[in-house]
Amino acid sequence: MPEGDTVWNTARVLHRALAGARLTGSDFRVPQLATTDLTGWTVRESASRGKHLLLRLAALDGTHWTLHSHLRMEGAWRAYAPGERWTARPAHLIRVVLRSPGAVAVGYHLHELALAPTAEEESLVGQLGPDLLGADWDPAEAVRRLAAHPDATIGEALLDQRNLAGIGNLYKCEVLFLRGISPWTPVRAVPDLAGTVTLAQRLLAANRGRWTQSTTGSLHRGQTSYVYGRRAQPCRRCGTAIRKEELGDRVTYWCPVCQPERTPRGDGG
């Protein structure tokens, strides 16, 4: 699942494949960029911001541009050697192809694909909260933004990228389990917001650099999560069956014993 750590990893793959290279061709398969040609442009770097990927480029005239993409649930970038078969996804899902002498980068099922001056990057990602994997990670600012919406459920607040950038459904579920917090708890009733965001940052950072996401410390199949994806399976702490239910427009997993609801759902969240 493309959460902040997955996008961070993807950015590093593209950076290793393309950084410093002059593009020998490009093929955009989205209407808004269909006539765009990046041939001759130089790839300066690849970076991530929360769940957004930013490929920074230098045009032939020396101006700097950013190719922005969002993976959402289905998107992916893959880097191939020249001549290698593109096997990651069906061809009809390809949205962009970038060619260089040493690598071919293929973007599948990308969202919000846009090309903008690098100086205007904030127009693309400026609405995001502190990036959990960014050099400028600011836990105090993340807490301030969460606390500004006291009646929101903590489950929904953690997924709001305007509060903090990088948490997806997996980390939301796992963080709340480890903190013993029901996903339906209103933000105002969470006893230690700072501890919650600090744990979230620590979990994402621990998985940075690898593709298998684990919050338990185990990389073995079926042992990588406490509650996420484990509906009806026994809680690893108390043995109670893990539950799954909709929360907002996403599903959530939790243990009803380890994460008791202390505030009725009809009373402020």
Side-chain angles (χ1 to χ4, degrees), residues 6 12 33 45 62 75 80 108 139 178 182 194 196 206 220 222 232 238 249 251:
T6 303
R12 296 315 176 272
L33 294 174
E45 65 177 332
Y80 300 97
Y108 297 90
L178 289 167
S182 166
T196 299
H220 296 293
C238 72
D249 60 354
V251 298

Side-chain angles (χ1 to χ4, degrees), residues 15-235:
H15 188 85
R16 289 194 294 268
L18 297 176
R22 186 180 294 271
L23 296 178
T24 57
S26 65
D27 178 12
F28 287 93
R29 304 181 186 181
V30 293
Q32 67 270 26
L33 294 174
T35 61
T36 300
D37 183 6
L38 304 185
T39 301
W41 290 32
T42 300
V43 179
R44 297 169 51 232
E45 65 177 332
S46 175
S48 62
R49 173 78 177 164
K51 298 184 182 183
H52 298 251
L53 196 140
L54 305 167
L55 194 64
R56 297 178 178 129
L57 309 156
L60 291 170
D61 61 3
T63 58
H64 290 175
W65 294 78
T66 296
L67 180 62
H68 164 264
S69 60
H70 194 298
L71 303 186
R72 291 194 187 173
M73 295 291 290
E74 315 90 351
W77 279 91
R78 294 291 186 270
Y80 300 97
E84 183 181 359
R85 185 180 177 187
W86 306 345
T87 57
R89 304 281 176 87
H92 73 272
L93 294 178
I94 295 174
R95 299 294 180 262
V96 58
V97 179
L98 302 176
R99 301 178 183 274
S100 74
V104 180
V106 181
Y108 297 90
H109 216 304
L110 302 176
H111 299 267
E112 301 176 28
L113 196 62
L115 186 66
T118 298
E120 299 175 13
E121 246 179 42
E122 284 298 295
S123 67
L124 302 171
V125 295
Q127 79 281 6
L128 300 176
D131 182 357
L132 287 109
L133 296 181
D136 58 347
W137 164 242
D138 185 347
E141 175 62 14
V143 168
R144 186 194 70 78
R145 292 186 179 216
L146 286 168
H149 305 281
D151 294 329
T153 67
I154 187 62
E156 292 175 294
L158 288 175
L159 290 180
D160 189 336
Q161 302 299 294
R162 295 169 297 181
N163 293 329
L164 61 172
I167 292 183
N169 215 27
L170 183 154
Y171 287 110
K172 175 208 76 177
C173 295
E174 296 293 286
V175 166
L176 294 180
F177 171 79
L178 289 167
R179 297 291 297 177
I181 301 169
S182 166
W184 286 271
T185 304
V187 170
R188 57 180 161 74
V190 175
D192 183 7
L193 282 175
T196 299
V197 300
T198 296
L199 175 60
Q201 194 279 333
R202 192 165 73 240
L203 290 179
L204 265 75
N207 284 303
R208 186 170 48 190
R210 67 185 182 203
W211 296 104
T212 299
Q213 295 166 310
S214 174
T215 58
T216 63
S218 174
L219 298 179
H220 296 293
R221 182 185 294 272
Q223 299 178 16
T224 57
S225 68
Y226 287 101
V227 292
Y228 184 80
R230 299 189 65 243
R231 183 180 67 85
Q233 296 182 47
C235 173

